[in-house]
Amino acid sequence: MKRFRPGVLPTLVVFALLPLLVWLGFWQLGRGEEKRQMLASYAERRASPPVAVDLLPGVADPAYRHVQLRGTFDAEHTVLLDNSTRDGKAGVELIQPFHDQPSGLWLMVNRGWLPWPDRRLPAQFDTPAQRYILDAWVYVAPGATFQLHPDARSERWPKLITALDPAAVWSELHRDGYAHELRLEAGPVAYRTDWPVVAMGPEKHVGYAVQWFAMATALFGLYLYLGFNQTATARHKKNKETPHGDHHESSQHV
């Protein structure tokens, strides 16, 4: 029966890497389940009746809540969210203050993505002056809220930023506004509104988990193979190094 002698160094490597690979696999499975729950919540809340705007600040978990707005845009204080691409083309997301007249609340409304191929020229967009009834949903940024880019603190509008913090905008404008961004549904005043709910779907996380588990299995299989194979190789080498004359002399002596 073969003995298992993998050696100290391979054992240390496997004991260090194997738990990490297994943990990464289960972590990816957990992330995939989080994304599934997020997508289910998104679909459920988007299909639910709209939340009244005046009640919105008191909602504990407003993410993806459907809201119907009635009011006008503020064309003087436009924000352009940079580092946004669609189909490989550079552009920005157009975000403008919106005054909801029934509630009196100010909201930062994202009207969607628009192309901006030549940064030497101003971004081309228009702002409707009339009163509109709009369907939107609440977007809650994951993790900590970023601050405005330092250049956005200038007096010039529109402001080009890399991440939106509505509270910073309201503070600069001296207005009492809602703390989260609202994203428009497709409509007459919206630009391109095909925002991904999640950057990576659940199926990709499952695929990555399978890769991590496959690497763990391969590592453990290689560890077993080397452990048994090195023992057999060492025994074979020892037999080859043993002089034949020693066996002959021993038999003659007996």
Side-chain angles (χ1 to χ4, degrees), residues 2 10 19 43 64 77 82 117-118 126 129 132 151 162 164-165 167 173-174 185 194-195 230 236 249:
K2 291 183 178 181
Y64 313 127
H77 302 101
D82 205 358
D118 190 350
D126 57 4
Y132 269 94
D151 292 343
T162 56
L164 176 67
D165 180 6
L173 296 178
H174 306 289
E185 302 279 8
D194 55 341
W195 292 284
Q230 285 183 2
H236 180 70
E249 291 175 3

Side-chain angles (χ1 to χ4, degrees), residues 79 95-97 106-110 164 166 169-170 180-182:
V79 172
I95 305 175
Q96 293 179 307
W106 282 96
L107 308 106
M108 293 300 296
V109 174
N110 191 327
L164 176 67
V169 178
W170 301 135
H180 298 293
E181 169 190 339
L182 274 78

Side-chain angles (χ1 to χ4, degrees), residues 168-236:
V169 178
W170 301 135
S171 176
E172 185 174 358
L173 296 178
H174 306 289
R175 294 175 183 172
D176 182 19
Y178 186 53
H180 298 293
E181 169 190 339
L182 274 78
R183 292 182 168 180
L184 280 188
E185 302 279 8
V189 301
Y191 288 90
R192 187 168 173 177
T193 58
D194 55 341
W195 292 284
V197 181
V198 293
M200 184 186 300
E203 66 284 348
K204 286 196 174 183
H205 287 285
V206 174
Y208 287 137
V210 170
Q211 292 181 15
W212 288 121
F213 288 139
M215 291 175 64
T217 302
L219 177 65
F220 188 65
L222 181 62
Y223 177 64
L224 294 178
Y225 172 79
L226 292 177
F228 287 117
N229 191 60
Q230 285 183 2
T231 301
T233 302
R235 185 184 296 112
H236 180 70

Side-chain angles (χ1 to χ4, degrees), residues 33-47 64 197-198 202:
E33 181 59 28
E34 289 178 8
K35 296 296 180 63
R36 274 189 290 272
Q37 294 177 3
M38 190 180 299
L39 290 171
S41 175
Y42 171 80
E44 179 184 354
R45 292 185 176 186
R46 291 286 300 276
Y64 313 127
V197 181
V198 293

Side-chain angles (χ1 to χ4, degrees), residues 27-253:
W27 178 74
Q28 287 290 352
L29 289 178
R31 290 290 294 159
E33 181 59 28
E34 289 178 8
K35 296 296 180 63
R36 274 189 290 272
Q37 294 177 3
M38 190 180 299
L39 290 171
S41 175
Y42 171 80
E44 179 184 354
R45 292 185 176 186
R46 291 286 300 276
S48 63
V51 178
V53 177
D54 56 344
L55 300 179
L56 199 56
V59 177
D61 183 14
Y64 313 127
R65 297 287 185 184
H66 180 204
V67 184
Q68 192 169 74
L69 310 176
R70 293 176 174 85
T72 55
F73 285 100
D74 175 7
E76 300 296 325
H77 302 101
T78 297
V79 172
L80 300 175
L81 186 61
D82 205 358
N83 297 334
S84 182
T85 60
R86 295 289 190 279
D87 303 326
K89 298 179 180 179
V92 289
E93 293 179 23
L94 176 64
I95 305 175
Q96 293 179 307
F98 184 89
H99 190 223
D100 185 74
Q101 293 175 356
S103 66
L105 186 66
W106 282 96
L107 308 106
M108 293 300 296
V109 174
N110 191 327
R111 295 177 56 195
W113 181 89
L114 55 92
W116 192 10
D118 190 350
R119 295 302 177 96
R120 295 170 297 181
L121 302 174
Q124 299 299 310
F125 61 89
D126 57 4
T127 304
Q130 61 268 40
R131 183 175 181 270
Y132 269 94
I133 299 177
L134 304 172
D135 289 316
W137 53 277
V138 180
Y139 172 73
V140 178
T145 303
F146 292 95
Q147 297 296 323
L148 285 171
H149 190 278
D151 292 343
R153 293 295 183 178
S154 67
E155 297 297 326
R156 298 176 57 186
W157 295 87
K159 294 182 184 293
L160 184 65
I161 64 173
T162 56
L164 176 67
D165 180 6
V169 178
W170 301 135
S171 176
E172 185 174 358
L173 296 178
H174 306 289
R175 294 175 183 172
D176 182 19
Y178 186 53
H180 298 293
E181 169 190 339
L182 274 78
R183 292 182 168 180
L184 280 188
E185 302 279 8
V189 301
Y191 288 90
R192 187 168 173 177
T193 58
D194 55 341
W195 292 284
V197 181
V198 293
M200 184 186 300
E203 66 284 348
K204 286 196 174 183
H205 287 285
V206 174
Y208 287 137
V210 170
Q211 292 181 15
W212 288 121
F213 288 139
M215 291 175 64
T217 302
L219 177 65
F220 188 65
L222 181 62
Y223 177 64
L224 294 178
Y225 172 79
L226 292 177
F228 287 117
N229 191 60
Q230 285 183 2
T231 301
T233 302
R235 185 184 296 112
H236 180 70
K237 183 177 179 181
K238 182 178 181 181
N239 291 337
K240 287 184 64 177
E241 291 177 351
T242 302
H244 293 286
D246 293 347
H247 295 288
H248 179 70
E249 291 175 3
S250 296
S251 61
Q252 285 184 343
H253 180 72

